[in-house]
Amino acid sequence: MEVELKEMLSDLQSLKQSLPDPSLHDSLDKIQSRVEHLADLAKAAPVRRSKVKDMSAEVVDSNPYSRLMALQRMGIVENYERIREFSVAIVGIGGVGSVAAEMLTRCGIGRLLLYDYDKVELANMNRLFFRPDQASMTKTDAAVQTLSDINPDVVLESYTLNITTVEGFDTFMSSLKDKSFCPVKQGSGVDLVLSCVDNYEARMAVNQACNELSQTWLESGVSEDAVSGHIQLLIPGETACFACAPPLVVASGVDERTLKREGVCAASLPTTMGVVAGLLVQNTLKFLLGFGQVSPYLGYNSLKDFFPTMQMKPNPQCSNGACLKRQEEYMLAKPARDAAAKAKMEAEAPSEEGPLHDDNEWNISVVDDCELGGPETKSSDALPEGLTRELPSADEFNNLSAPGAPVTDIDDLEDLRRQLEAINSA
Amino acid sequence: MEGWDPNTKSTLTQIPLLTTKAGPRDGAAWTLRLKEEYKALIAYTQMNKSNDNDWFRISAANPEGTRWTGKCWYVYNLLKYEFDLQFDIPITYPSTAPELELPQLDGKTQKMYRGGKICLTVHFKPLWAKNCPRFGIAHALCLGLAPWLAAEVPILVDSGMIKHKDDATTSTES
């Protein structure tokens, strides 16, 4: 294109010289300047920036990290450059996940693992991030294309798979366990998993993987009607896992003949998704870089701009076996945790420097309430004196099947298989 | 279960319930569960045949029993419409139900997720969750797929989205 424009310019020049009538020169000059402008535009082809070895705090226009490193000068983050050591896995590269991935990429995260099995569609264009020209690409490939342009320093891994299937889940697990990026770190190969999926099955699969790996994760979601959302921090054993509080299921008793036809297409807004992605990544940064407080649960109701927060303890009767195992480990580690907390308190507490006030006319003294109450180690489900439970406190369902454990199943699996085939072909 | 027609209800009560709560990653317990699945499927298929209401074929597509393929059909206006049926057993099974797929109908109806997964959210998932781990594949077909076909096939046919295979061939011949 550049060559053609140059030829056009020289043609214009010769035309101008050969024209006898000077009154036409003005309009020719106009055309010439427009062609020059086009040539400039053509020259400004997309430039890819090269990789940056160390994050610099130098304030120059060409430094992609100056505004982020300024967080240190402002006293918010102690050591921002640590972000390059962190790996974050994002499951589901949709309206929330793709935006979260872009935010983390712009923040200069060390490594991103992206999981999705879907393709980009034009119906996704009401959300952020994906462009119409990426339609029909897999979401993971399209994301890698854009993200590596934005920040080539980030290591991107894309996994086009469905984590709820047996093979997909195996790959998911082994990719989370891979520690080659930062071998000195404890735990699994990633620092945090972000769940940005849109269905219950996939959330349960992420929950299963994280419970088994004792991997902290953040769950996010946007409601079907697009006007509310939430994020939730899940630390296996310490906070409720996703299976601890199963969704309230109400069998609505629908007649199949009255099944509505307009059920499946969920609404979505770029705004709600952007807000939820922002909340999700803000808490990710707080968690990774150790500033502020990470919300255990944060809701977002956009109709009233209401942001409820709450905390959820794990369910001792959780149906997920790995969750129960993590809960047990957490209980066993309690003495060590208490000791560490106490040591931290003492280190932070100001050293005693005599009485705070010179006189104490009324003899007011502060009494340690732990001493008075005696052993205050009642668990939360202990009942006040005089009350008893009418029903057993534990769900007896699991124990019911236990007595009949050695089910003398004489049938062979192959036999059953053949039986079904026989009926099928009959 | 109020609201379901008496036929579905009585059929359901005759499908054996399952007891083992195990998914594909649970080794020996999964084999036990698989046996129960087979027993329930055999009983359900036999029942359908004896009631002259045979409407599907399903068999495991791999030795682990984690992928299933087959056919299902629905009769409307005395014509039989047949579709491929397939699904994977999710790793969180039986806490989460299998996602039944009719790939040939992908993109033809709104009541479907990408890849031909039929929408089970409203009429089936609550029942499945309440009855975990007692419901299995046979129950998913009886309470998930059958009502979906009954509701969707007539609309798909009437709106011309699907054609009977005889009509399809005659129209191409002409």
Side-chain angles (χ1 to χ4, degrees):
Chain A
M1 186 154 114
E2 262 186 276
V3 184
E4 265 181 73
L5 285 168
K6 247 184 203 158
E7 278 170 13
M8 205 168 153
L9 271 177
S10 60
D11 286 354
L12 274 173
Q13 280 293 347
S14 47
L15 186 70
K16 197 168 152 189
Q17 275 151 23
S18 60
L19 266 180
D21 185 2
S23 66
L24 287 170
H25 280 196
D26 252 9
S27 48
L28 266 178
D29 282 344
K30 246 185 208 162
I31 297 175
Q32 196 177 338
S33 75
R34 281 171 81 178
V35 174
E36 274 165 4
H37 179 66
L38 276 177
D40 280 350
L41 280 181
K43 254 184 236 164
V47 185
R48 285 194 67 153
R49 82 160 165 90
S50 53
K51 291 193 180 189
V52 176
K53 190 165 163 284
D54 294 303
M55 280 189 176
S56 141
E58 196 191 356
V59 185
V60 285
D61 293 351
S62 58
N63 178 4
Y65 297 119
S66 58
R67 305 298 173 103
L68 292 165
M69 295 296 278
L71 286 166
Q72 288 178 198
R73 208 171 49 246
M74 301 282 168
I76 299 294
V77 178
E78 210 168 291
N79 178 6
Y80 188 84
E81 202 166 356
R82 272 182 65 210
I83 200 161
R84 304 187 90 165
E85 297 162 15
F86 294 123
S87 295
V88 173
I90 303 182
V91 187
I93 312 300
V96 173
S98 62
V99 177
E102 177 172 347
M103 285 174 172
L104 286 169
T105 299
R106 290 184 187 271
C107 285
I109 192 84
R111 173 169 158 253
L112 278 183
L113 295 85
L114 310 171
Y115 305 84
D116 205 306
Y117 66 91
D118 233 347
K119 287 192 169 139
V120 180
E121 287 174 0
L122 287 178
N124 302 141
M125 293 306 142
N126 70 322
R127 278 93 109 184
L128 308 174
F129 190 72
F130 290 118
R131 298 186 307 267
D133 60 85
Q134 291 174 322
S136 85
M137 284 175 83
T138 64
K139 285 186 176 172
T140 47
D141 286 349
V144 168
Q145 185 188 52
T146 307
L147 297 176
S148 58
D149 267 354
I150 291 172
N151 188 345
D153 298 333
V154 180
V155 177
L156 296 165
E157 288 177 26
S158 86
Y159 297 91
T160 311
L161 49 81
N162 179 354
I163 61 162
T164 67
T165 62
V166 176
E167 307 86 62
F169 190 78
D170 283 347
T171 316
F172 179 48
M173 286 283 276
S174 53
S175 66
L176 291 181
K177 281 190 263 189
D178 179 11
K179 294 181 74 165
S180 51
F181 180 72
C182 200
V184 288
K185 262 193 199 158
Q186 290 193 331
S188 73
V190 298
D191 297 279
L192 192 65
V193 174
L194 305 183
S195 159
C196 306
V197 297
D198 63 357
N199 63 83
Y200 178 68
E201 288 76 16
R203 284 189 176 91
M204 288 291 276
V206 175
N207 187 58
Q208 182 69 33
C210 290
N211 276 343
E212 285 180 23
L213 297 171
S214 201
Q215 171 65 54
T216 301
W217 60 293
L218 273 169
E219 136 72 9
S220 68
V222 174
S223 67
E224 198 170 52
D225 60 7
V227 287
S228 56
H230 74 275
I231 62 164
Q232 184 182 346
L233 174 71
L234 296 101
I235 309 171
E238 189 178 336
T239 67
C241 90
F242 197 75
C244 277
L248 178 70
V249 281
V250 186
S252 45
V254 268
D255 189 327
E256 60 253 40
R257 282 157 301 185
T258 66
L259 272 182
K260 283 192 216 85
R261 280 188 55 76
E262 65 285 331
V264 172
C265 187
S268 67
L269 277 172
T271 46
T272 315
M273 297 222 159
V275 169
V276 170
L279 294 173
L280 180 69
V281 176
Q282 192 79 295
N283 279 280
T284 302
L285 294 175
K286 289 193 282 185
F287 175 84
L288 295 175
L289 297 170
F291 65 99
Q293 277 182 340
V294 183
S295 291
Y297 174 96
L298 177 60
Y300 169 49
N301 173 342
S302 78
L303 296 181
K304 297 205 161 168
D305 279 341
F306 175 51
F307 293 83
T309 59
M310 63 171 178
Q311 238 165 335
M312 271 188 282
K313 278 193 192 168
N315 176 1
Q317 296 162 30
C318 180
S319 64
N320 187 297
C323 173
L324 295 180
K325 227 180 267 174
R326 296 290 95 81
Q327 288 187 40
E328 197 181 323
E329 286 167 12
Y330 185 73
M331 289 297 285
L332 289 175
K334 190 174 187 296
R337 207 165 43 242
D338 287 350
K342 202 176 164 198
K344 198 179 166 210
M345 281 264 286
E346 276 167 5
E348 279 175 0
S351 48
E352 306 264 337
E353 295 158 350
L356 214 54
H357 304 281
D358 290 336
D359 54 346
N360 186 1
E361 198 183 340
W362 310 102
N363 284 323
I364 294 168
S365 63
V366 182
V367 181
D368 190 352
D369 50 23
C370 300
E371 306 282 312
L372 285 174
E376 274 282 330
T377 47
K378 275 185 197 168
S379 67
S380 59
D381 55 321
L383 289 174
E385 211 178 331
L387 293 181
T388 52
R389 286 183 198 279
E390 192 175 35
L391 294 168
S393 62
D395 192 340
E396 298 294 323
F397 175 73
N398 291 331
N399 304 343
L400 282 179
S401 59
V407 185
T408 44
D409 222 333
I410 38 162
D411 309 42
D412 178 51
L413 191 60
E414 266 314 303
D415 268 359
L416 287 165
R417 205 186 165 90
R418 272 193 290 273
Q419 259 187 61
L420 182 65
E421 288 312 314
I423 301 172
N424 275 346
S425 53
Chain B
M1 289 280 325
E2 67 278 1
W4 287 78
D5 69 299
N7 266 342
T8 313
K9 259 190 192 168
S10 74
T11 314
L12 182 73
T13 52
Q14 290 172 59
I15 305 176
L17 292 173
L18 291 73
T19 55
T20 310
K21 184 174 182 289
R25 295 169 70 246
D26 294 331
W30 171 241
T31 313
L32 217 60
R33 169 92 191 182
L34 208 50
K35 286 181 193 168
E36 296 178 2
E37 296 280 4
Y38 271 114
K39 283 179 194 161
L41 275 171
I42 290 166
Y44 184 37
T45 316
Q46 262 167 349
M47 195 192 326
N48 283 339
K49 288 194 173 197
S50 55
N51 293 342
D52 197 20
N53 181 32
D54 198 18
W55 67 276
F56 69 87
R57 290 281 172 275
I58 194 79
S59 47
N62 60 3
E64 300 81 28
T66 59
R67 178 156 186 84
W68 294 71
T69 52
K71 300 240 178 240
C72 62
W73 55 90
Y74 186 79
V75 176
Y76 178 60
N77 285 346
L78 303 177
L79 291 173
K80 180 177 161 187
Y81 296 87
E82 191 175 81
F83 313 103
D84 288 341
L85 166 66
Q86 61 185 44
F87 55 90
D88 283 292
I89 300 292
I91 54 109
T92 42
Y93 191 82
S95 295
T96 58
E99 298 185 274
L100 308 174
E101 297 166 31
L102 305 177
Q104 289 157 327
L105 294 183
D106 191 12
K108 295 198 168 165
T109 158
Q110 292 178 21
K111 298 231 57 149
M112 192 168 254
Y113 296 102
R114 217 151 294 115
K117 291 172 181 164
I118 67 167
C119 179
L120 298 166
T121 317
V122 179
H123 71 284
F124 175 63
K125 296 257 175 95
L127 278 175
W128 180 275
K130 273 193 165 179
N131 289 285
C132 170
R134 293 179 285 272
F135 278 4
I137 294 168
H139 301 83
L141 297 175
C142 174
L143 293 173
L145 184 58
W148 191 93
L149 288 174
E152 259 337 86
V153 172
I155 293 168
L156 284 166
V157 173
D158 291 344
S159 65
M161 281 308 271
I162 54 172
K163 282 203 161 55
H164 191 260
K165 58 181 192 301
D166 295 344
D167 290 347
T169 46
T170 49
S171 62
T172 48
E173 275 163 10
S174 59

